[in-house]
Amino acid sequence: VFCGPKPHHEYIIGIDTASGIAEGDFSALSVFDRHTREFVAMFYARVPPDEIAQQAVLAAIHFNNAYIIPEVNNHGFATVKTILDMGYPVHRRHQGREIKAGQVWSDIYGFMTTAANRQMIIDLMSQAVREQSITIWSKHLLQEMRTFVYDGRGRADHMSNRHSDAIMATCFVLYADQKLRPPEPLPDGIEADNTNRS
């Protein structure tokens, strides 16, 4: 945690889930303050899907009942199910669409990464970094960014023996921030100060 929750601030949590096996990918959880536009916390460890789900709910409650957007692909399926089983709401893919009786929950909740939208969310992060519209404190995220490149086929991905888990969690956050309504204005006398880190 780089900066604790602030009164009236709105937060988004993105989750990229891994299997939790040793030497595998990391499960990453990224917390974003929509008012200061800084990433105020990061969880980054080799933990199984149910554990990252529990950490996400704890973080969401701590950060003013934050909005959670977890990836539902692969191991993320178990993460989304655990969060829902804990009674905490998660991102709905089609916000305005009515949920029909008998509809499978995995077709409704979480972010489904596809070949079509993966580059789009990476481009969102690339633009935010280029325009310096976000602040990053996490060394894990910065380390991943240094080894995230375009390969010979023009596909953005991490270099060999490196990771992009924190990057993807961050991409989900920026996607949700764009899709959600703008954050509510802060009450008079409360400023979106991003200088007081803990």
Side-chain angles (χ1 to χ4, degrees):
V1 175
F2 309 106
C3 182
K6 296 177 180 177
H8 307 287
H9 283 227
E10 295 179 23
Y11 296 87
I12 300 173
I13 295 176
I15 309 169
D16 184 60
T17 305
S19 65
I21 62 171
E23 305 306 317
D25 285 336
F26 291 87
S27 288
L29 179 160
S30 189
V31 184
F32 181 66
D33 184 327
R34 300 189 74 199
H35 291 276
T36 64
R37 301 199 57 78
E38 66 180 321
F39 287 89
V40 295
M42 171 71 69
F43 181 90
Y44 191 83
R46 289 187 173 99
V47 296
D50 60 309
E51 279 192 39
I52 192 70
Q54 292 163 11
Q55 291 296 323
V57 172
L58 287 172
I61 293 169
H62 183 65
F63 283 96
N64 302 346
N65 295 316
Y67 185 91
I68 297 181
I69 177 165
E71 185 180 39
V72 74
N73 301 52
N74 304 317
H75 303 293
F77 183 94
T79 297
V80 175
K81 185 174 188 311
T82 301
I83 295 171
L84 291 172
D85 287 347
M86 293 176 72
Y88 199 92
V90 299
H91 171 78
R92 275 181 57 186
R93 288 202 286 284
H94 306 288
Q95 297 283 349
R97 190 177 298 176
E98 183 179 347
I99 298 175
K100 299 177 182 176
Q103 194 170 0
V104 180
W105 66 264
S106 58
D107 292 336
I108 303 168
Y109 298 105
F111 183 89
M112 177 65 74
T113 305
T114 66
N117 67 25
R118 183 179 181 275
Q119 187 59 55
M120 178 268 292
I121 62 173
I122 291 170
D123 287 343
L124 283 177
M125 182 172 176
S126 175
Q127 179 181 353
V129 171
R130 190 174 65 253
E131 294 177 350
Q132 299 181 23
S133 65
I134 57 173
T135 301
I136 297 168
W137 302 112
S138 167
K139 66 178 182 180
H140 298 297
L141 178 53
L142 291 171
Q143 286 169 352
E144 286 190 358
M145 289 167 67
R146 291 187 182 104
T147 55
F148 195 75
V149 298
Y150 283 93
D151 63 19
R153 297 170 297 165
R155 184 178 190 271
D157 209 345
H158 57 81
M159 295 169 67
S160 179
N161 298 318
R162 301 293 180 170
H163 299 274
S164 58
D165 312 299
I167 287 174
M168 296 312 295
T170 300
C171 287
F172 302 144
V173 164
L174 294 173
Y175 171 82
D177 182 59
Q178 183 186 66
K179 289 294 182 182
L180 294 172
R181 56 145 181 80
E184 292 292 332
L186 294 173
D188 291 343
I190 297 179
E191 296 181 5
D193 179 19
N194 63 357
T195 60
N196 297 321
R197 289 188 295 133
S198 56

